[in-house]
Amino acid sequence: MSIGHTLLGLLESGPRHGYDLKRTFDETFGHDKPLHYGQVYSTMSRLLKNGLVEVDGIEAGGGPERKRYAITEAGVTDVRQWLATPEKPEPYLQSTLYTKVVLALLTERDAGEILDRQRAEHLRLMRILTDRKRKGDLADQLICDHALFHLEADLRWLELTAARLDKLAAEVRSS
């Protein structure tokens, strides 16, 4: 996820302080991974330097000054272009799990055990996500569906690889 673009998009509804941006981001997108304040302010500093936001006001208080940021026309254009650009599908052509399976075969370890442990871990996470989906709002349901579909694809790969393990072992050990 592009944090900069997301913060810019949040600013399109009106100027906000960094604290407000963090709170809105966390409530809307950061259920599993909230932003750190330092990340918000370093991103805003970069966006300011690049002319995508401007300081709309500064408030003095008991602590540090609070800057209110507003998106610029260049920022609106940048968000529009980002939203219109499709994300590159990630085909996982060289996954860590595949590497572990091949290394296990090359070192005469039990690759089937690796696949079994991974399957159990996937199923554990799927149960957690299914429960979260059941209790969540529509946004949480959609996020969980996305993750569950990816985990289901991984499970299909685990099953297929387990079924072909002897053939894979013969191939990797002969090379």
Side-chain angles (χ1 to χ4, degrees):
M1 173 188 323
S2 172
I3 293 169
H5 286 112
T6 305
L7 294 177
L8 282 173
L10 292 174
L11 283 172
E12 283 200 53
S13 65
R16 297 176 188 224
H17 295 95
Y19 173 83
D20 296 327
L21 285 167
K22 179 199 174 347
R23 184 178 42 78
T24 303
F25 180 97
D26 290 350
E27 289 172 357
T28 309
F29 307 108
H31 293 288
D32 295 318
K33 193 174 181 185
L35 288 179
H36 297 286
Y37 283 105
Q39 194 173 12
V40 171
Y41 292 110
S42 65
T43 301
M44 296 312 295
S45 177
R46 188 180 77 252
L47 295 172
L48 186 63
K49 184 177 125 190
N50 292 336
L52 302 176
V53 298
E54 61 191 8
V55 176
D56 185 60
I58 298 176
E59 298 171 11
E65 294 178 332
R66 291 182 45 170
K67 294 179 184 174
R68 188 175 55 243
Y69 299 96
I71 192 167
T72 63
E73 282 303 313
V76 171
T77 300
D78 196 58
V79 171
R80 185 181 310 115
Q81 290 172 346
W82 179 66
L83 290 172
T85 304
E87 289 297 307
K88 181 181 178 191
E90 297 185 29
Y92 301 104
L93 290 178
Q94 187 60 33
S95 76
T96 303
L97 185 54
Y98 171 78
T99 301
K100 285 183 173 187
V101 169
V102 170
L103 283 175
L105 293 171
L106 287 171
T107 59
E108 304 290 330
R109 290 185 172 91
D110 188 352
E113 187 177 311
I114 290 170
L115 294 170
D116 289 343
R117 279 196 305 269
Q118 191 63 51
R119 184 181 307 103
E121 184 61 18
H122 271 60
L123 291 171
R124 183 190 70 76
L125 182 54
M126 289 176 82
R127 283 189 294 276
I128 291 169
L129 289 170
T130 300
D131 186 55
R132 176 176 161 183
K133 177 183 165 182
R134 194 177 310 113
K135 296 174 183 173
D137 60 11
L138 181 58
D140 221 24
Q141 292 169 12
L142 291 170
I143 289 168
C144 290
D145 279 339
H146 186 263
L148 286 165
F149 293 148
H150 281 273
L151 290 169
E152 287 173 6
D154 287 349
L155 282 176
R156 287 194 310 268
W157 181 86
L158 289 165
E159 295 301 324
L160 182 64
T161 302
R164 296 178 174 173
L165 211 47
D166 291 338
K167 185 176 180 182
L168 180 60
E171 284 187 19
V172 298
R173 290 176 182 152
S174 70
S175 51

